[in-house]
Coordinates of all heavy atoms in Angstrom, one line a residue:
G461 N 72.8 157.5 84.9 CA 73.6 156.6 85.7 C 74.1 155.4 85.0 O 75.2 155.0 85.1
C462 N 73.3 154.9 84.2 CA 73.7 153.6 83.5 C 74.3 154.0 82.1 O 75.1 153.3 81.7 CB 72.4 152.7 83.2 SG 71.8 151.9 84.7
R569 N 64.1 157.5 98.8 CA 64.7 158.1 97.5 C 64.0 159.2 96.9 O 64.6 160.3 96.7 CB 64.8 156.9 96.5 CG 65.6 157.3 95.2 CD 65.4 156.2 94.3 NE 66.2 156.4 93.0 CZ 65.9 157.2 92.0 NH1 64.8 158.0 92.2 NH2 66.7 157.3 91.0
H595 N 71.6 158.6 97.3 CA 71.9 157.3 96.7 C 72.4 156.3 97.8 O 71.8 155.2 97.9 CB 72.9 157.4 95.6 CG 73.1 156.3 94.7 ND1 72.1 155.8 93.9 CD2 74.0 155.4 94.6 CE1 72.5 154.8 93.3 NE2 73.6 154.4 93.7
I596 N 73.4 156.7 98.5 CA 73.9 155.8 99.6 C 74.2 156.6 100.8 O 74.3 157.8 100.8 CB 75.1 155.0 99.1 CG1 76.3 155.8 98.9 CG2 74.8 154.1 97.9 CD1 77.7 155.3 98.8
R598 N 77.1 156.3 104.0 CA 78.3 155.7 104.6 C 78.3 156.2 106.0 O 77.9 157.3 106.4 CB 79.5 156.0 103.9 CG 79.5 155.2 102.4 CD 79.7 153.7 102.5 NE 79.7 153.0 101.2 CZ 78.7 152.2 100.9 NH1 77.7 152.0 101.6 NH2 78.8 151.7 99.7
R611 N 72.0 162.1 94.2 CA 72.4 162.1 92.8 C 72.7 163.5 92.3 O 73.5 163.6 91.3 CB 71.2 161.7 92.0 CG 71.1 160.1 91.8 CD 70.0 159.8 90.8 NE 70.1 158.5 90.4 CZ 69.9 157.5 91.3 NH1 69.5 157.7 92.5 NH2 70.0 156.2 90.8
R638 N 77.6 159.3 92.9 CA 76.9 158.0 93.5 C 77.7 157.5 94.8 O 77.2 156.6 95.5 CB 76.9 156.9 92.5 CG 76.1 157.1 91.2 CD 74.7 157.1 91.6 NE 73.9 157.3 90.3 CZ 73.8 158.5 89.7 NH1 74.2 159.6 90.2 NH2 73.1 158.6 88.6
S639 N 78.8 158.0 95.1 CA 79.7 157.5 96.2 C 80.3 158.5 97.0 O 80.7 159.5 96.7 CB 80.7 156.5 95.6 OG 81.5 157.1 94.7
Y658 N 80.2 161.6 89.4 CA 79.8 161.1 88.1 C 79.9 162.2 87.0 O 80.4 162.0 86.0 CB 78.3 160.7 88.1 CG 78.1 159.1 88.2 CD1 79.0 158.4 88.8 CD2 76.9 158.6 87.7 CE1 78.9 157.0 88.9 CE2 76.7 157.2 87.8 CZ 77.7 156.4 88.4 OH 77.4 155.0 88.5
A696 N 82.5 152.9 92.7 CA 82.5 152.5 94.2 C 83.7 153.1 94.7 O 84.8 153.1 94.2 CB 82.4 151.0 94.4
I697 N 83.6 153.5 96.0 CA 84.8 153.8 96.8 C 84.8 153.0 98.2 O 83.7 152.9 98.8 CB 84.7 155.4 97.3 CG1 84.5 156.2 96.0 CG2 86.1 155.8 98.0 CD1 84.5 157.7 96.3
H739 N 82.0 149.3 88.4 CA 80.7 149.8 89.0 C 80.7 149.7 90.5 O 81.5 150.5 91.2 CB 79.5 149.1 88.3 CG 78.3 149.7 88.7 ND1 77.9 150.8 88.3 CD2 77.2 149.2 89.5 CE1 76.6 151.2 88.7 NE2 76.2 150.1 89.4
R784 N 77.9 145.7 97.7 CA 79.3 145.6 98.3 C 79.8 144.1 98.3 O 80.8 143.8 98.7 CB 79.3 146.2 99.6 CG 79.5 147.7 99.6 CD 79.3 148.2 101.0 NE 77.8 148.2 101.5 CZ 77.5 148.4 102.7 NH1 78.3 148.7 103.7 NH2 76.1 148.3 103.0
F837 N 71.1 143.3 94.7 CA 71.9 143.2 95.9 C 71.7 141.7 96.6 O 70.7 141.1 96.4 CB 71.4 144.2 96.9 CG 71.5 145.6 96.3 CD1 70.5 146.4 95.9 CD2 72.8 146.2 96.2 CE1 70.7 147.7 95.5 CE2 73.0 147.5 95.7 CZ 71.9 148.3 95.4
H887 N 67.4 145.4 98.3 CA 68.5 145.8 99.2 C 68.2 145.2 100.6 O 67.2 145.5 101.2 CB 68.8 147.2 99.2 CG 70.1 147.6 99.8 ND1 70.1 148.2 101.1 CD2 71.3 147.5 99.5 CE1 71.5 148.3 101.4 NE2 72.2 147.9 100.5
W902 N 60.3 149.0 97.5 CA 60.6 150.2 96.8 C 59.4 150.7 95.9 O 59.1 150.1 94.9 CB 61.8 150.0 95.8 CG 62.2 151.2 95.0 CD1 61.9 152.5 95.1 CD2 63.3 151.1 94.0 NE1 62.5 153.2 94.1 CE2 63.5 152.4 93.4 CE3 64.1 150.0 93.5 CZ2 64.4 152.7 92.5 CZ3 65.0 150.3 92.4 CH2 65.1 151.7 91.9
Ligands
DHE2492 FE1 73.3 152.4 92.9 C1 75.6 151.5 95.2 C2 75.8 153.6 91.0 C3 71.1 152.7 90.3 C4 70.8 151.7 95.1 N1 75.4 152.5 93.0 C5 76.1 152.0 94.1 C6 77.5 152.3 93.8 C7 77.5 152.9 92.6 C8 76.1 152.9 92.1 C9 78.7 153.3 91.9 C10 78.6 152.0 94.7 C11 78.9 153.1 95.6 C12 79.9 152.8 96.7 O1 79.9 151.7 97.2 O2 80.8 153.6 96.9 N2 73.4 153.0 91.0 C13 74.5 153.4 90.3 C14 74.2 153.8 89.1 O3 75.0 154.3 88.2 C15 72.9 153.3 88.7 C16 73.0 152.0 88.0 C17 72.1 154.2 87.9 C18 71.8 155.6 88.5 O4 71.3 156.3 87.7 O5 72.1 155.8 89.6 C19 72.5 153.0 90.1 N3 71.3 152.3 92.7 C20 70.6 152.5 91.6 C21 69.3 152.2 91.8 O6 68.4 152.3 90.9 C22 69.1 152.0 93.2 C23 68.5 150.6 93.4 C24 68.1 152.9 93.9 C25 68.5 154.3 93.8 O7 69.0 154.9 94.7 O8 68.3 154.9 92.6 C26 70.4 152.1 93.7 N4 73.2 151.8 94.8 C27 72.1 151.6 95.5 C28 72.4 151.2 96.9 C29 73.8 151.2 96.9 C30 74.3 151.4 95.6 C31 71.4 151.0 98.0 C32 74.6 150.7 98.1 C33 74.6 149.3 98.3 C34 75.3 148.8 99.6 O9 75.0 148.0 100.2 O10 76.4 149.5 99.8

Side-chain angles (χ1 to χ4, degrees):
C462 289
R569 185 191 187 283
H595 194 67
I596 64 165
R598 291 287 178 250
R611 273 191 169 66
R638 297 292 181 282
S639 55
Y658 259 25
I697 309 180
H739 190 66
R784 278 172 292 169
F837 300 107
H887 195 252
W902 179 8

